[in-house]
Amino acid sequence: MTAEPLSAEPLPADRTRTDPSPAGPAPAKRLTAVPPVEAASPGSPPSEPPATEPTAAEPVVTEPAPTTRPRAGLAEALVARRNQLTRAAQWFAGTEGDPYGLLLRAGADDPARHEERVRERGPLYRSAPLDTWVTAHRAVAEQVLTDPAFDGTGPDGTPVGLDGLPLRSELLSLDRATAARLAPLTAFGGPLLWAREENCVAQRAATYARRLLEGCGEHFDLAEDFARRLPGPVLAEQFSLPDAAHEEFARVLPDCRHALDGLVCPQPYATARATRTAEAAVAALLARHLSEAGGAGGAGADTARAAAVLAVSAAETTAVLIVDTVRRLRARTGAWERLTADPALAAEAVRETLRTAPPVRLETRTTRTETTLAGTELPAGARVAVLMAAAGRDPGAPAGAAPLGLAPDLHFALSAPLITSIAGAALRTLAETLPHLREAGEPVIRPRSPVLLAPARFPVAKRESTPCAS
């Protein structure tokens, strides 16, 4: 495989330029910046007050932008460059044969092959090129996901933007203490979700699923036309958003699809910026409609934040889980037919996918303190990657062990029940309404998706093909 060229990710429009110098690199004082043409990142204060519109008596005079604007443009260009170089490091780690680097490259080859290479190296393998400890063993994975010594990035961790992944999701970059505080807000019948039990969510999800399928033609894309369009209206209803906000929420939420992959794999600059904008739009919409729910004591802000974390972590994960479960059932002889004969098996089919091929294949944590993992002393600040899919199929795992598909901490502590409920309802509805569903083209996996292996396209048809009359 050939390496991705660094030029594959262009710098932003507000890139810097350096005057040429025959003697070598230009000194720092000669570095200038083009004023940015894009808006500042969502939520950031403006660097200067807006200019007043000129009147007829005032000629338009073009003046150099204040020094604050070039500096902002330079900072954004440096962020883009760091994002690009981090991707290059991952790519070349794979070129050196590092199995973790090959997983992060997220090429067309089967990731299970590289996951098994990690397992062969023992319970804890160090990816030297990427300075990350990696495990594919169930017992080690469970320790990482439950031991307080391991945590996500948040208030007490490395700030977002200073760890080589400067454009990753801010909503999903929270620590366990924050997740533990927010999780009760997302319980069934709590202050955020009106449904008092999972079955109620499943019934409402099935209603929306039927509506979506009725609007699909004979041929449609299971990923784009169905799976990604389902979580938005279900969540909007659960959040009790006003009718006027439903359409905007359902339209913007799928644009956050790259957030989870971006936690470990730098996305192209334009994609990362678009994801950040979509996240900010989702958070702002929820804040407008939910912040007053908790009163003046500050609980309302937590409710809005919990809703945003739940929505962004659940939407694409649910879509991937739906498509992957259908794909796996269709690939096994007789499996889809057994489901259509008894749609009540849908929940079990989703659990099996979570166990053997979970939608989230990779989780990362950072050590808060010095700790021992699989007999190895790890210093504070060490990065650890858990290969969730490989750990879930660990032959040494106890018989009947629960699925390891969604981590019990961080963002999935808020959204896991909704993900499994919506996915189960969607699968059951597909089995009931489209028993003759079939593939109608080659599925395509989205590039740079090592976490989700997300489908970019999954064409299907509602009925089996019939031969033409002679």
Side-chain angles (χ1 to χ4, degrees):
M1 299 176 67
T2 58
E4 288 181 341
L6 290 181
S7 58
E9 295 179 34
L11 285 176
D14 51 343
R15 61 167 64 86
T16 61
R17 60 170 181 263
T18 306
D19 297 332
S21 172
K29 66 181 181 179
R30 299 186 64 189
L31 189 66
T32 60
V34 178
V37 298
E38 295 179 291
S41 60
S44 61
S47 57
E48 59 182 27
T52 57
E53 185 174 334
T55 64
E58 295 174 341
V60 178
V61 179
T62 303
E63 296 180 352
T67 55
T68 54
R69 292 296 294 273
R71 288 175 182 172
L74 174 60
E76 186 71 4
L78 292 176
V79 164
R81 177 60 69 184
R82 189 159 73 250
N83 192 67
Q84 188 181 55
L85 293 177
T86 301
R87 177 58 178 171
Q90 295 176 352
W91 188 266
F92 287 113
T95 301
E96 293 298 315
D98 177 62
Y100 183 56
L102 288 167
L103 285 171
L104 294 183
R105 276 170 51 153
D109 49 344
D110 183 6
R113 180 163 61 94
H114 307 309
E115 292 167 348
E116 292 306 316
R117 288 181 58 200
V118 171
R119 192 195 310 280
E120 293 168 1
R121 284 161 168 75
L124 193 62
Y125 159 72
R126 182 172 182 268
S127 168
L130 299 175
D131 191 22
T132 302
W133 297 90
V134 192
T135 185
H137 284 241
R138 171 78 183 231
V140 180
E142 290 179 340
Q143 180 180 345
V144 173
L145 297 175
T146 57
D147 190 332
F150 301 89
D151 207 343
T153 55
D156 298 325
T158 304
V160 174
L162 298 180
D163 63 348
L165 289 165
L167 295 171
R168 62 195 172 98
S169 168
E170 293 188 18
L171 279 176
L172 302 186
S173 298
L174 70 167
D175 59 11
R176 283 179 175 168
T178 303
R181 188 182 79 248
L182 298 179
L185 299 174
T186 66
F188 292 117
L192 184 56
L193 306 180
W194 66 262
R196 295 191 174 275
E197 58 182 13
E198 184 176 352
N199 286 340
C200 184
V201 175
Q203 291 172 7
R204 296 305 300 157
T207 298
Y208 283 107
R210 290 189 191 95
R211 292 177 187 173
L212 284 173
L213 292 174
E214 288 170 0
C216 293
E218 179 66 24
H219 292 77
F220 65 100
D221 189 325
L222 187 67
E224 283 296 313
D225 299 331
F226 177 72
R228 286 194 176 100
R229 293 178 61 192
L230 179 60
V234 176
L235 293 176
E237 183 182 67
Q238 286 300 311
F239 296 156
S240 299
L241 297 181
D243 291 343
H246 272 230
E247 182 178 353
E248 180 185 359
F249 180 77
R251 175 177 54 81
V252 176
L253 185 58
D255 293 338
C256 301
R257 68 186 64 184
H258 300 275
L260 279 162
D261 283 307
L263 292 176
V264 299
C265 177
Q267 302 297 297
Y269 180 78
T271 300
R273 283 292 299 268
T275 302
R276 187 163 61 177
T277 299
E279 273 196 6
V282 168
L285 183 150
L286 292 171
R288 285 198 306 271
H289 297 291
L290 300 177
S291 288
E292 296 180 359
D302 267 3
T303 301
R305 184 180 182 188
V309 172
L310 185 157
V312 173
S313 62
E316 184 69 0
T317 309
T318 303
V320 173
L321 181 56
I322 293 170
V323 174
D324 283 357
T325 305
V326 171
R327 179 181 58 81
R328 289 173 59 79
L329 289 171
R330 292 287 305 169
R332 297 203 303 269
T333 303
W336 179 256
E337 289 72 21
R338 286 192 293 272
L339 176 65
T340 57
D342 184 5
L345 296 174
E348 178 57 35
V350 168
R351 283 193 293 270
E352 178 64 15
T353 300
L354 285 170
R355 187 183 70 82
T356 58
V360 179
R361 305 183 65 90
L362 171 64
E363 291 273 0
T364 59
R365 298 293 183 269
T366 302
T367 55
R368 289 285 191 250
T369 60
E370 294 183 4
T371 189
T372 301
L373 182 65
T376 301
E377 296 292 332
L378 301 183
R383 290 190 295 271
V384 180
V386 176
L387 306 185
M388 302 289 285
R393 61 175 186 268
D394 186 350
L404 197 66
L406 298 172
D409 60 346
L410 303 187
H411 35 272
F412 290 126
L414 284 69
S415 59
L418 268 294
I419 293 170
T420 56
S421 180
I422 297 172
L427 186 63
R428 180 167 186 157
T429 304
L430 284 166
E432 291 173 344
T433 60
L434 300 179
H436 301 296
L437 185 77
R438 64 177 177 87
E439 296 87 341
E442 190 69 23
V444 176
I445 300 299
R446 187 170 68 214
R448 300 201 193 192
S449 185
V451 174
L452 297 171
L453 242 67
R457 184 172 70 246
F458 193 88
V460 296
K462 290 184 176 181
R463 297 176 180 83
E464 296 287 352
S465 59
T466 55
C468 297
S470 58

